[in-house]
Amino acid sequence: MDKWEMYMKIKQLKEQEFKIRRIARKLGISRTTVYKYLEKSPEEMALWEASTKTRTKKLNAYEMIIHTWLIENPDVSVFCKQKVQRIARKNT
C-alpha cells in the first residue's frame, strides 16, 4: 500500500469512528504513524508524497560495493543479505 492509499484508509477509518489504536492494529502500523497521517491535510500529504519520490537514497552510492562484498563473503548472515536485497528493490 502506498502512502496515499494509507492516508485515505486512515482517514476513512477515523471517519467511521475507529480509535487510533484499532486503526494502527488493523493496518499494521504504529499509533504514531496514524497520528502523523491524521495531522496532514490532503495538500500536505500530496507534497510530502511527491518529495519522497524525488529524494535520493544514501546507500545508492554504495550499492555496487555492498553487492560485491556480499558475493565475496558468503558467510554473511542471511538476514544481512535479505536486508540489502530489500533496499536494492526499493531503489529500483
Side-chain angles (χ1 to χ4, degrees):
M1 186 179 310
D2 71 356
K3 289 175 175 58
W4 188 256
E5 288 177 72
M6 181 71 71
Y7 175 76
M8 294 306 295
K9 189 70 175 165
I10 290 170
K11 289 287 191 179
Q12 288 171 354
L13 292 172
K14 189 62 179 163
E15 286 175 9
Q16 295 172 14
E17 300 183 8
F18 277 61
K19 296 197 181 297
I20 301 297
R21 185 181 201 143
R22 190 165 173 210
I23 295 171
R25 197 175 310 133
K26 184 173 180 66
L27 298 176
I29 58 177
S30 71
R31 286 179 289 145
T32 53
T33 301
V34 174
Y35 283 115
K36 180 175 73 172
Y37 277 77
L38 287 173
E39 289 173 355
K40 294 185 184 302
S41 70
E43 294 81 18
E44 291 171 324
M45 188 63 201
L47 288 172
W48 178 61
E49 185 180 24
S51 76
T52 62
K53 291 182 179 179
T54 58
R55 288 192 290 210
T56 58
K57 310 294 189 246
K58 290 181 180 181
L59 289 179
N60 282 355
Y62 306 101
E63 184 176 1
M64 291 305 296
I65 295 168
I66 293 169
H67 280 289
T68 304
W69 183 76
L70 287 172
I71 291 168
E72 292 172 355
N73 297 286
D75 57 326
V76 173
S77 74
V78 173
F79 173 77
C80 241
K81 288 181 182 180
Q82 289 172 345
K83 182 98 172 146
V84 169
Q85 288 169 349
R86 279 195 303 269
I87 291 170
R89 280 195 301 266
K90 279 186 176 179
N91 290 331
T92 57

